[in-house]
Amino acid sequence: MPIPMNLINLLGCADSLPQAWQSSIMGRVGGANIKVLRMDDMAYPAETHDYAEALLVLEGQMRLSVDDALVEVGAGQLYLVPAGLPHAVAPGSQGTLVIID
């Protein structure tokens, strides 16, 4: 049976990316981008957006710094970042992350 074109293997797509924190847009839903990336035990600097974003850890763990607090987001967990909230990813974050923004 052929695989439908709208079936996306997120883990496979993340594995094929050339480097950590280089996201690839997998599609759009309701105006939001769905992106996948690898964290590879690397930090990501603080950023702020004028839109909310959802951070879904597919595998591994993300160490998210929000308001001077460290939030551990594990596999299968989703963190909702409100618009305007500065956030950064701390060292020690590894695995596959889906960003919906």
Side-chain angles (χ1 to χ4, degrees):
M1 173 187 264
I3 297 174
M5 293 304 292
N6 55 353
L7 179 62
I8 301 168
N9 179 342
L10 294 171
L11 295 175
C13 290
D15 286 343
S16 70
L17 293 171
Q19 63 187 17
W21 293 109
Q22 181 176 359
S23 66
S24 181
I25 297 174
M26 300 287 100
R28 290 180 57 81
V29 176
N33 290 316
I34 300 172
K35 302 182 251 184
V36 65
L37 58 83
R38 291 190 331 267
M39 295 180 278
D40 290 357
D41 205 25
M42 296 178 63
Y44 195 84
E47 61 183 3
T48 304
H49 309 289
D50 59 355
Y51 50 84
E53 71 178 346
L55 305 174
L56 171 63
V57 177
L58 288 184
E59 63 177 355
Q61 177 179 339
M62 177 176 58
R63 304 179 74 231
L64 190 65
S65 177
V66 181
D67 284 337
D68 296 324
L70 189 63
V71 179
E72 304 277 343
V73 185
Q77 293 183 316
L78 174 78
Y79 189 89
L80 299 174
V81 182
L85 181 66
H87 55 287
V89 179
S93 299
Q94 49 82 28
T96 304
L97 179 65
V98 173
I99 300 173
I100 303 166
D101 64 6

